Protein backbone atom coordinates (compact mmCIF):
# COMPACT_ATOMS: atom_id res chain seq x y z
CA UNK A 1 0.00 0.00 0.00
CA UNK A 2 1.34 3.41 -1.07
CA UNK A 3 2.15 6.00 1.52
CA UNK A 4 0.25 9.26 1.51
CA UNK A 5 3.46 10.92 0.39
CA UNK A 6 3.75 8.66 -2.68
CA UNK A 7 0.10 9.17 -3.51
CA UNK A 8 0.49 12.92 -3.36
CA UNK A 9 3.56 12.70 -5.57
CA UNK A 10 1.70 10.63 -8.19
CA UNK A 11 -1.22 13.04 -8.08
CA UNK A 12 1.10 16.01 -8.56
CA UNK A 13 2.74 14.29 -11.54
CA UNK A 14 -0.67 13.53 -13.10
CA UNK A 15 -1.77 17.14 -12.64
CA UNK A 16 1.41 18.41 -14.28
CA UNK A 17 0.88 16.10 -17.26
CA UNK A 18 -2.71 17.20 -17.61
CA UNK A 19 -1.68 20.86 -17.46
CA UNK A 20 0.98 20.20 -20.08
CA UNK A 21 -1.50 18.56 -22.44
CA UNK A 22 -3.98 21.40 -21.99
CA UNK A 23 -1.27 23.96 -22.60
CA UNK A 24 -0.21 22.23 -25.80
CA UNK A 25 -3.76 22.55 -27.12
CA UNK A 26 -4.45 26.08 -25.85
CA UNK A 27 -3.13 28.97 -27.99
CA UNK A 28 -3.34 31.33 -25.00
CA UNK A 29 -0.71 29.16 -23.31
CA UNK A 30 1.19 27.95 -26.34
CA UNK A 31 1.41 31.34 -28.03
CA UNK A 32 1.46 31.93 -31.80
CA UNK A 33 1.53 28.98 -34.20
CA UNK A 34 1.43 28.22 -37.93
CA UNK A 35 0.59 25.21 -40.07
CA UNK A 36 -0.02 24.04 -43.62
CA UNK A 37 -3.60 23.25 -44.61
CA UNK A 38 -5.68 22.49 -47.71
CA UNK A 39 -8.65 24.71 -48.55
CA UNK A 40 -12.02 22.95 -48.58
CA UNK A 41 -14.31 26.01 -48.86
CA UNK A 42 -14.07 29.66 -49.94
CA UNK A 43 -16.54 32.02 -48.24
CA UNK A 44 -17.92 35.31 -49.53
CA UNK A 45 -16.91 37.21 -46.38
CA UNK A 46 -13.17 36.97 -47.02
CA UNK A 47 -12.61 33.78 -45.04
CA UNK A 48 -11.64 30.28 -46.12
CA UNK A 49 -12.03 26.88 -44.49
CA UNK A 50 -8.96 24.64 -44.45
CA UNK A 51 -8.67 21.42 -42.45
CA UNK A 52 -11.86 22.42 -40.54
CA UNK A 53 -10.30 25.76 -39.54
CA UNK A 54 -11.97 29.02 -40.57
CA UNK A 55 -9.35 31.68 -41.29
CA UNK A 56 -9.43 35.19 -42.72
CA UNK A 57 -7.31 35.59 -45.83
CA UNK A 58 -4.97 38.46 -46.61
CA UNK A 59 -6.16 41.02 -49.15
CA UNK A 60 -3.23 40.05 -51.38
CA UNK A 61 -4.57 36.47 -51.68
CA UNK A 62 -6.93 37.39 -54.50
CA UNK A 63 -8.01 34.09 -56.03
CA UNK A 64 -8.38 31.37 -53.37
CA UNK A 65 -9.53 28.01 -54.68
CA UNK A 66 -10.54 24.68 -53.19
CA UNK A 67 -7.49 22.44 -53.14
CA UNK A 68 -4.96 25.23 -52.57
CA UNK A 69 -2.27 24.42 -50.02
CA UNK A 70 -1.95 27.49 -47.78
CA UNK A 71 -0.11 28.78 -44.71
CA UNK A 72 -2.32 29.42 -41.68
CA UNK A 73 -1.08 31.54 -38.77
CA UNK A 74 -2.66 31.56 -35.29
CA UNK A 75 -2.16 34.28 -32.70
CA UNK A 76 -2.24 33.90 -28.93
CA UNK A 77 -5.98 34.70 -28.88
CA UNK A 78 -6.72 31.74 -31.12
CA UNK A 79 -7.53 33.76 -34.26
CA UNK A 80 -6.49 32.26 -37.59
CA UNK A 81 -5.03 34.10 -40.60
CA UNK A 82 -4.52 32.67 -44.10
CA UNK A 83 -1.40 34.16 -45.63
CA UNK A 84 -1.89 32.70 -49.10
CA UNK A 85 -1.25 29.89 -51.51
CA UNK A 86 2.04 27.99 -51.56
CA UNK A 87 3.74 27.43 -54.89
CA UNK A 88 3.13 23.96 -56.29
CA UNK A 89 5.49 24.22 -59.24
CA UNK A 90 7.01 26.66 -61.72
CA UNK A 91 3.64 27.96 -62.98
CA UNK A 92 1.67 29.29 -59.98
CA UNK A 93 -1.58 31.25 -60.21
CA UNK A 94 -0.65 34.93 -60.32
CA UNK A 95 2.79 34.22 -61.73
CA UNK A 96 4.38 35.73 -64.86
CA UNK A 97 6.61 33.95 -67.33
CA UNK A 98 8.46 35.49 -70.27
CA UNK A 99 9.91 33.87 -73.39
CA UNK A 100 12.40 36.06 -75.26
CA UNK A 101 14.07 35.39 -78.57
CA UNK A 102 17.81 35.09 -78.13
CA UNK A 103 18.60 34.86 -81.85
CA UNK A 104 17.18 35.83 -85.23
CA UNK A 105 15.16 33.21 -87.13
CA UNK A 106 14.84 33.46 -90.92
CA UNK A 107 12.54 31.35 -93.11
CA UNK A 108 12.62 31.26 -96.88
CA UNK A 109 10.31 29.76 -99.53
CA UNK A 110 7.86 28.19 -97.07
CA UNK A 111 4.24 28.64 -96.02
CA UNK A 112 4.40 25.66 -93.62
CA UNK A 113 3.74 26.83 -90.08
CA UNK A 114 6.50 25.87 -87.62
CA UNK A 115 7.04 26.71 -83.96
CA UNK A 116 9.44 29.53 -83.22
CA UNK A 117 12.51 28.04 -81.51
CA UNK A 118 12.30 30.50 -78.58
CA UNK A 119 8.68 31.58 -78.09
CA UNK A 120 6.89 28.73 -76.30
CA UNK A 121 5.62 27.72 -72.86
CA UNK A 122 4.45 24.60 -71.00
CA UNK A 123 0.91 25.30 -69.77
CA UNK A 124 -1.20 23.52 -67.16
CA UNK A 125 -4.52 21.69 -67.51
CA UNK A 126 -7.62 23.68 -66.50
CA UNK A 127 -5.58 26.89 -66.26
CA UNK A 128 -6.30 30.34 -67.70
CA UNK A 129 -3.68 32.79 -68.93
CA UNK A 130 -3.45 36.35 -70.18
CA UNK A 131 -0.92 36.75 -72.97
CA UNK A 132 0.89 39.70 -74.46
CA UNK A 133 3.97 40.16 -76.57
CA UNK A 134 5.97 42.08 -79.13
CA UNK A 135 7.24 40.67 -82.44
CA UNK A 136 9.86 42.43 -84.56
CA UNK A 137 10.18 41.15 -88.13
CA UNK A 138 10.86 42.00 -91.71
CA UNK A 139 9.35 40.40 -94.78
CA UNK A 140 9.27 40.82 -98.53
CA UNK A 141 6.19 42.76 -99.70
CA UNK A 142 5.08 39.65 -101.59
CA UNK A 143 5.95 37.11 -98.91
CA UNK A 144 4.52 38.78 -95.78
CA UNK A 145 4.25 36.79 -92.49
CA UNK A 146 1.54 34.58 -91.00
CA UNK A 147 1.29 33.91 -87.25
CA UNK A 148 -0.50 30.99 -85.61
CA UNK A 149 -0.37 29.07 -82.33
CA UNK A 150 0.13 25.54 -81.07
CA UNK A 151 -2.26 24.95 -78.14
CA UNK A 152 -3.20 21.90 -76.05
CA UNK A 153 -6.28 19.98 -77.24
CA UNK A 154 -9.57 21.63 -76.29
CA UNK A 155 -8.07 25.05 -75.49
CA UNK A 156 -10.20 28.14 -76.06
CA UNK A 157 -9.59 31.88 -76.18
CA UNK A 158 -8.79 34.69 -78.59
CA UNK A 159 -5.87 36.82 -79.63
CA UNK A 160 -5.28 40.00 -81.58
CA UNK A 161 -2.23 41.42 -83.28
CA UNK A 162 -1.84 45.13 -83.97
CA UNK A 163 0.34 45.20 -87.04
CA UNK A 164 0.63 46.07 -90.71
CA UNK A 165 -2.11 44.71 -92.98
CA UNK A 166 -1.17 42.62 -95.99
CA UNK A 167 -2.05 45.52 -98.32
CA UNK A 168 0.84 47.62 -96.97
CA UNK A 169 2.51 49.45 -99.84
CA UNK A 170 5.62 50.81 -98.14
CA UNK A 171 6.93 53.08 -95.46
CA UNK A 172 6.65 56.19 -97.60
CA UNK A 173 2.87 55.81 -97.75
CA UNK A 174 2.29 54.66 -94.16
CA UNK A 175 0.67 51.41 -93.08
CA UNK A 176 -2.88 50.22 -92.63
CA UNK A 177 -3.25 48.41 -89.32
CA UNK A 178 -5.47 45.43 -88.54
CA UNK A 179 -7.04 44.89 -85.13
CA UNK A 180 -9.32 41.90 -85.68
CA UNK A 181 -9.95 39.34 -82.93
CA UNK A 182 -8.91 35.80 -83.87
CA UNK A 183 -9.52 32.39 -82.27
CA UNK A 184 -6.59 31.33 -80.12
CA UNK A 185 -5.65 28.50 -82.50
CA UNK A 186 -6.31 30.40 -85.75
CA UNK A 187 -3.90 32.02 -88.20
CA UNK A 188 -3.60 35.71 -89.06
CA UNK A 189 -1.34 37.34 -91.64
CA UNK A 190 0.56 40.62 -91.53
CA UNK A 191 2.19 42.64 -94.28
CA UNK A 192 5.80 43.03 -95.25
CA UNK A 193 7.46 46.13 -96.67
CA UNK A 194 10.67 44.70 -98.09
CA UNK A 195 13.96 43.54 -96.67
CA UNK A 196 15.34 45.94 -94.07
CA UNK A 197 11.98 47.65 -93.45
CA UNK A 198 11.53 46.34 -89.92
CA UNK A 199 7.96 46.14 -88.64
CA UNK A 200 6.43 45.12 -85.32
CA UNK A 201 3.28 43.36 -84.08
CA UNK A 202 1.83 44.02 -80.62
CA UNK A 203 0.03 40.90 -79.40
CA UNK A 204 -2.61 40.39 -76.71
CA UNK A 205 -4.92 37.51 -75.91
CA UNK A 206 -6.45 35.01 -73.51
CA UNK A 207 -5.78 31.28 -73.34
CA UNK A 208 -8.08 28.88 -71.47
CA UNK A 209 -6.59 25.40 -71.28
CA UNK A 210 -9.00 22.46 -71.04
CA UNK A 211 -8.32 19.14 -69.31
CA UNK A 212 -5.10 18.49 -71.24
CA UNK A 213 -1.80 20.20 -70.38
CA UNK A 214 0.71 20.82 -73.12
CA UNK A 215 2.69 23.35 -75.12
CA UNK A 216 1.59 26.85 -76.05
CA UNK A 217 3.85 28.12 -78.82
CA UNK A 218 3.95 30.81 -81.47
CA UNK A 219 4.21 29.34 -84.95
CA UNK A 220 4.89 31.33 -88.10
CA UNK A 221 5.77 31.17 -91.78
CA UNK A 222 5.61 33.27 -94.92
CA UNK A 223 2.09 34.04 -96.12
CA UNK A 224 3.22 33.52 -99.73
CA UNK A 225 6.30 31.47 -100.54
CA UNK A 226 9.15 33.84 -101.40
CA UNK A 227 12.85 33.47 -102.03
CA UNK A 228 13.40 36.58 -99.90
CA UNK A 229 13.58 35.55 -96.25
CA UNK A 230 11.02 36.50 -93.64
CA UNK A 231 12.87 37.07 -90.36
CA UNK A 232 11.69 37.29 -86.73
CA UNK A 233 14.32 39.12 -84.74
CA UNK A 234 16.16 38.78 -81.45
CA UNK A 235 14.42 40.36 -78.42
CA UNK A 236 10.92 39.64 -79.68
CA UNK A 237 9.02 38.31 -76.66
CA UNK A 238 5.86 36.73 -75.28
CA UNK A 239 4.58 36.87 -71.70
CA UNK A 240 2.02 34.71 -69.89
CA UNK A 241 0.21 35.72 -66.71
CA UNK A 242 -1.64 32.81 -65.10
CA UNK A 243 -4.96 33.98 -63.61
CA UNK A 244 -6.70 30.67 -62.80
Amino acid sequence: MKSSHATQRDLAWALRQQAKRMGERSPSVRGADWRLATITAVNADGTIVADDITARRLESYLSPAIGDVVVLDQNSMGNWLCRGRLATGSDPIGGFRVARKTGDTARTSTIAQAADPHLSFAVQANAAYLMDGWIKYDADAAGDISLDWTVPAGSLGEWTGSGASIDTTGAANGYSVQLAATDIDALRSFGGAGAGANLTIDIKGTLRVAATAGTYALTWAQRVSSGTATTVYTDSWLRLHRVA
Side-chain angles (χ1 to χ4, degrees):
M1 184 173 179
K2 286 187 177 181
S3 68
S4 61
H5 179 72
T7 301
Q8 290 174 355
R9 184 178 58 201
D10 291 346
L11 178 59
W13 179 86
L15 290 173
R16 285 196 300 271
Q17 294 301 112
Q18 183 181 23
K20 180 182 177 183
R21 288 192 296 269
M22 292 180 65
E24 288 172 345
R25 293 193 294 266
S26 174
S28 62
V29 175
R30 184 179 65 234
D33 194 7
W34 71 273
R35 60 178 290 173
L36 302 182
T38 301
I39 291 182
T40 55
V42 178
N43 301 322
D45 63 354
T47 63
I48 56 90
V49 179
D51 294 356
D52 296 324
I53 297 168
T54 298
R56 184 160 299 280
R57 60 186 172 88
L58 292 180
E59 188 174 9
S60 57
Y61 183 19
L62 298 177
S63 302
I66 292 173
D68 285 353
V69 178
V70 296
V71 174
L72 298 183
D73 280 340
Q74 186 184 45
N75 68 11
S76 60
M77 297 299 294
N79 298 315
W80 286 95
L81 178 70
C82 177
R83 291 190 174 275
R85 179 188 303 108
L86 293 180
T88 56
S90 59
D91 187 20
I93 294 174
F96 287 85
R97 289 182 292 159
V98 176
R100 181 182 65 87
K101 281 190 71 62
T102 56
D104 299 345
T105 302
R107 293 175 179 168
T108 306
S109 302
T110 180
I111 60 171
Q113 289 284 312
D116 188 274
H118 307 110
L119 302 179
S120 66
F121 303 90
V123 292
Q124 304 301 310
N126 303 309
Y129 301 86
L130 306 183
M131 177 272 292
D132 64 344
W134 178 79
I135 305 300
K136 177 185 175 183
Y137 73 100
D138 75 13
D140 181 72
D144 298 328
I145 188 171
S146 294
L147 305 185
D148 203 346
W149 305 90
T150 296
V151 299
S155 295
L156 298 172
E158 289 187 296
W159 71 283
T160 185
S162 301
S165 296
I166 60 175
D167 60 355
T168 291
T169 57
N173 298 319
Y175 301 99
S176 56
V177 177
Q178 59 173 321
L179 302 169
T182 308
D183 285 344
I184 196 62
D185 59 351
L187 177 147
R188 183 157 293 280
S189 296
F190 299 86
N198 297 331
L199 300 173
T200 65
I201 305 168
D202 287 323
I203 295 177
K204 293 181 175 64
T206 303
L207 170 67
R208 290 179 282 124
V209 184
T212 303
T215 298
Y216 179 56
L218 177 70
T219 71
W220 61 274
Q222 295 177 312
R223 182 180 71 87
V224 177
S225 182
S226 171
T228 300
T230 295
T231 302
V232 175
Y233 286 108
T234 301
D235 290 333
S236 297
W237 56 268
L238 294 177
R239 176 172 54 187
L240 285 186
H241 177 199
R242 186 175 176 186
V243 294

